[in-house]
Amino acid sequence: MQNPIIVALDVPKMETALALARQLAPVVGAFKIGSELFTAAGPEVVRRLRATGAAVFLDLKFHDIPNTVAGAVAAAVELDVQMLTIHTSGGEEMMKAAEAAAQTAARKLNRPPPLVLGVTVLTSLDSNELNLLGVTGNVGRQVERLAALASQSGLRGLVCSALEIADLRQTVPHSMQLITPGIRPAGTEVDDQKRTLTPKEAMEAGANWLVIGRPIYAAKNPRTAAEKILESLR
Ligand code: C5P
């Protein structure tokens, strides 16, 4: 089994992120850099993390016209990230352009293309808020629609909430990689996450990767917390 734990480095400083990564690298599969850290520390944090040999998930959720997203994806390939996110609501052309840019830029640099992951409906949005945005019907239907569109557009992975995994597994191709946040080991704080699964439940439901933040980086001993989670999966 590949190590499916991706640690979200949701900290504001590069040094803190790198220290955490040094400590955790032997027991986790990858590290996620999101908008907070990237905006504060810039691409240098990606380069420094990659220089340690760690796999990097660049979670900047690109959402723009196809040409701009393609350029951003190519820039992410230059940084040698292994996974990155785009919004599926950017549309079919945008998703196709992103996947094509990942393939082309990687070929030029003679490296494997990163996994371009589609974000469907942000879990912070409920049916009411979607209605205000002009999206009628329930959240689940919209997630399914966007997931199908992502698949048709050639994306090889999706970010989904823990509670969407089992349903999506019924509808998307078997090869689709599903990455899920909202993971809480039994007996830990749920924080602001409303609907969570344990790491084992999420893997059993069909997730390929687990994004875990606070239960690891805010633990008294992050390394022990990550080891325990890994142990719970064996
Ligand atoms: O600390 P915690 O484990 O809740 O962190 C989860 C990570 O996954 C954070 O980086 C958060 O931004 C991200 N995320 C999420 N829910 C989503 C999408 C991303 O919690 N629907």
Side-chain angles (χ1 to χ4, degrees):
M1 176 187 88
Q2 65 173 8
N3 185 323
I5 303 174
I6 302 177
V7 180
L9 294 173
D10 292 331
V11 294
K13 289 215 163 69
M14 170 146 68
E15 289 316 322
T16 319
L18 293 172
L20 268 168
R22 264 194 299 276
Q23 192 189 153
L24 292 167
V27 292
V28 305
F31 295 98
K32 180 169 92 73
I33 295 178
S35 344
E36 179 183 6
L37 181 57
F38 191 82
T39 305
E44 191 55 19
V45 66
V46 180
R47 292 191 194 101
R48 299 261 310 261
L49 198 50
R50 283 296 294 135
T52 69
V56 172
F57 170 11
L58 188 62
D59 185 20
L60 300 181
K61 300 187 180 66
F62 299 137
H63 190 177
D64 211 315
I65 59 172
N67 186 57
T68 303
V69 168
V73 169
V77 174
E78 291 267 347
L79 285 175
D80 197 18
V81 304
Q82 282 58 54
M83 298 174 167
L84 62 96
T85 41
I86 63 173
H87 271 286
T88 55
S89 51
E92 190 172 16
E93 286 311 311
M94 184 268 247
M95 288 190 270
K96 283 184 178 164
E99 182 61 34
Q103 301 284 345
T104 309
R107 209 173 310 120
K108 256 190 220 149
L109 293 167
N110 201 20
R111 53 175 68 135
L115 194 55
V116 178
L117 301 164
V119 173
T120 58
V121 179
L122 294 173
T123 47
S124 48
L125 297 174
D126 56 17
S127 293
N128 258 346
E129 277 206 86
L130 279 178
N131 266 309
L132 290 173
L133 295 173
V135 179
T136 50
N138 73 15
V139 180
R141 270 297 298 136
Q142 181 67 0
V143 169
E144 241 176 62
R145 179 182 297 130
L146 290 171
L149 192 61
S151 177
Q152 279 162 39
S153 309
L155 295 198
R156 293 161 293 133
L158 292 167
V159 179
C160 61
S161 97
L163 298 190
E164 287 160 5
I165 308 168
D167 283 345
L168 278 178
R169 269 284 161 243
Q170 307 295 312
T171 58
V172 295
H174 183 71
S175 59
M176 188 68 91
Q177 299 274 304
L178 298 182
I179 282 83
T180 182
I183 301 298
R184 286 296 178 270
T188 59
E189 293 289 326
V190 293
D191 305 304
D192 54 356
Q193 296 282 8
K194 296 204 172 79
R195 301 176 306 158
T196 62
L197 290 186
T198 67
K200 195 172 180 61
E201 285 167 344
M203 294 303 287
E204 282 172 358
N208 301 95
W209 297 90
L210 310 172
V211 174
I212 308 177
R214 288 161 288 184
I216 293 179
Y217 73 72
K220 248 188 220 131
N221 186 328
R223 167 95 178 222
T224 309
E227 278 169 351
K228 268 198 197 152
I229 293 172
L230 192 57
E231 201 51 44
S232 76
L233 297 175
R234 295 207 196 278

